[in-house]
Amino acid sequence: MAKALYPGTFDPVTLGHIDLIERALHLFDEVTVAIATSESKTPVFTLEERIDHIQTIFEGNKRIKVIGFTGLVVDLAKEEESKILIRGLRAVSDFEYEFQMANMNRAMSPDLESVFLTPKAKFSFLSSTLVREIASMGGEISSFVDPIIEEALKKRFKV
Ligand code: COA
């Protein structure tokens, strides 16, 4: 069975991330969405909330597993027995960082392969930070996130 690991902070998960997860499901039997605690990013949503958001969006889909993690992604991949790491490339500007990370992960774990997928062009400018900023100022975010996330952001920012 081909298993892939898709790591990220997902604060919050956007339609761009969802697009990528759906693409990964066309290629792999099982996709594990691995949510990093990412304390240095001081997330708006707790790890438990971020896990719950993605679990709710993909409820009933037995090919998707959602977990939280701290520590190195290469260690998690070993624990999860996954040899594939999924990463998204939205634009050329993502490339340098992703290239660096893929090569660093390869240096630590030569058997782990990074696979890059591109989201639909309409999501190529999306980022969780921008979505949070727009939501915090009462802006319209329905075309960027699932209704569950829209609701959660409205509650969090009391808008
Ligand atoms: N659609 C929309 N947005 C997307 C996207 C897509 N398809 N792909 C990425 N993004 C956004 C993310 O939401 C994020 O936005 P933000 O910075 O505004 O929050 C931004 O692009 C950067 O995403 P990403 O590079 O995936 O960062 P991340 O914080 O989500 O994930 C980890 C980075 C967690 C995968 C990485 O830090 C990691 O592996 N950490 C574990 C520790 C480790 O192993 N370190 C050594 C690595 S060599």
Side-chain angles (χ1 to χ4, degrees), residues 6-12 14 16-17 20 36 38 41 69 71-74 87-88 90 97-98 101 104-105 108 119 123 126-130 132:
Y6 179 26
T9 303
F10 305 105
D11 183 44
T14 67
H17 295 124
L20 230 69
S38 294
K41 281 189 159 186
F69 80 103
L72 292 174
V73 81
V74 290
R87 293 293 293 163
R90 289 163 299 171
Y97 171 63
E98 292 299 336
M101 214 158 48
M104 197 55 99
N105 282 331
M108 291 187 281
F123 300 134
L126 250 183
S127 85
S128 300
T129 301
L130 288 179
R132 286 196 308 271

Side-chain angles (χ1 to χ4, degrees), residues 2-6 21 24-25 28-33 63-66 86:
K3 286 164 59 168
L5 196 66
Y6 179 26
I21 295 168
L25 283 172
F28 304 101
D29 299 307
E30 191 182 289
V31 175
T32 299
V33 182
R63 291 168 59 211
I64 295 182
K65 194 171 140 189
V66 188
I86 300 285

Side-chain angles (χ1 to χ4, degrees), residues 74-94:
V74 290
D75 292 337
L76 180 72
K78 277 184 196 136
E79 272 167 42
E80 290 293 314
E81 297 176 338
S82 176
K83 291 192 183 309
I84 307 285
L85 208 60
I86 300 285
R87 293 293 293 163
L89 279 181
R90 289 163 299 171
V92 178
S93 50
D94 282 342

Side-chain angles (χ1 to χ4, degrees), residues 119-125:
K120 274 192 196 113
K122 66 176 178 177
F123 300 134
S124 61
F125 55 87

